[in-house]
Amino acid sequence: MALVDLHGREDEVAVRLLLRLAAGSRASAQEAARRYATKEWLLIGWEEAGEIVGCVGISREGEDTLELHSVAVANDWQSRGIGRALIEALVEVADRAAVVAETDEDGAGFYHSCGFEVEAAAPKAGRARFRCPRGPGAGPVPRAQPGIILGEIEQAIRRLGR
C-alpha cells in the first residue's frame, strides 16, 4: 500500500474510473478532472500492487476548512477499509481544521460512520444531497484496518495551502 499524488495522472484509465464512480456522471467526472489538473483541488490515490484502487480529493475552503471531493474505491476493492483509511488520514492531518463533504443518499451512511454529522442540503439534479461536516476536535475517525503513511498526505495538504 502507498499513498500517491495523482496530479498529472487524471487521464489514466484507473483514475478516470474512480472519478466517474465518485462523481456519478461523465460531466461531473470531467469537471473534477479539470480541477485536479489545474491544481485547484488535490487528488490523492491509494495504490495496491501498482494499481490505483482508491482516491480522495481535497480543497481548502478558507483558512480552517478542508473540503472532500471524489472519495471512491474501485468496486473490487470495496469493504476493505480503504475509503475509511483515506478519510482517517485526512482528518488526523487536518488537525485543527474542520473537514466537510457533500454527498448523496448512497454516501451519507459512510460519512456518518466516519464521525461526520449528516445534514440535508439543497437537492441537485432531482436527487437528495447531504452536507457532512466534521469539526476540529470531534475525535478520531473509527479505525480502518490498513495502516497508512500520514506524512505523504500531510505534505500534500501543506502544498495545497500555498
Side-chain angles (χ1 to χ4, degrees):
M1 176 286 304
L3 296 171
V4 293
D5 183 347
L6 295 177
H7 178 71
R9 298 177 65 180
E10 297 85 3
D11 287 332
E12 289 182 20
V13 172
V15 176
R16 281 182 172 264
L17 289 172
L18 286 169
L19 290 178
R20 177 75 163 98
L21 185 63
S25 74
R26 185 182 321 264
S28 294
Q30 289 173 338
E31 175 62 15
R34 181 194 66 76
R35 289 177 180 225
Y36 294 122
T38 63
K39 294 189 176 183
E40 180 180 348
W41 295 352
L42 173 71
L43 187 61
I44 298 166
W46 183 289
E47 189 174 59
E48 288 281 350
E51 178 183 357
I52 301 298
V53 300
C55 69
V56 61
I58 55 174
S59 64
R60 199 169 277 288
E61 299 298 320
E63 207 169 295
D64 56 359
T65 303
L66 292 177
E67 185 170 352
L68 299 180
H69 310 278
S70 309
V71 178
V73 176
N75 291 331
D76 292 346
W77 289 85
Q78 291 180 3
S79 300
R80 298 183 193 192
I82 293 171
R84 184 181 304 277
L86 285 166
I87 300 299
E88 178 182 304
L90 288 173
V91 167
E92 190 168 330
V93 171
D95 192 26
R96 293 179 302 275
V99 179
V100 67
E102 185 179 308
T103 190
D104 56 18
E105 288 178 282
D106 296 336
F110 168 74
Y111 284 106
H112 181 71
S113 74
C114 289
F116 287 73
E117 300 291 323
V118 177
E119 307 165 349
K124 279 188 185 172
R127 293 195 62 186
R129 299 294 294 174
F130 299 90
R131 182 176 183 279
C132 303
R134 191 172 194 290
V141 173
R143 296 306 258 179
Q145 295 301 316
I148 54 174
I149 301 168
L150 294 178
E152 294 174 43
I153 292 179
E154 197 169 326
Q155 290 172 0
I157 290 173
R158 285 192 185 118
R159 283 194 306 271
L160 203 114
R162 291 183 194 162

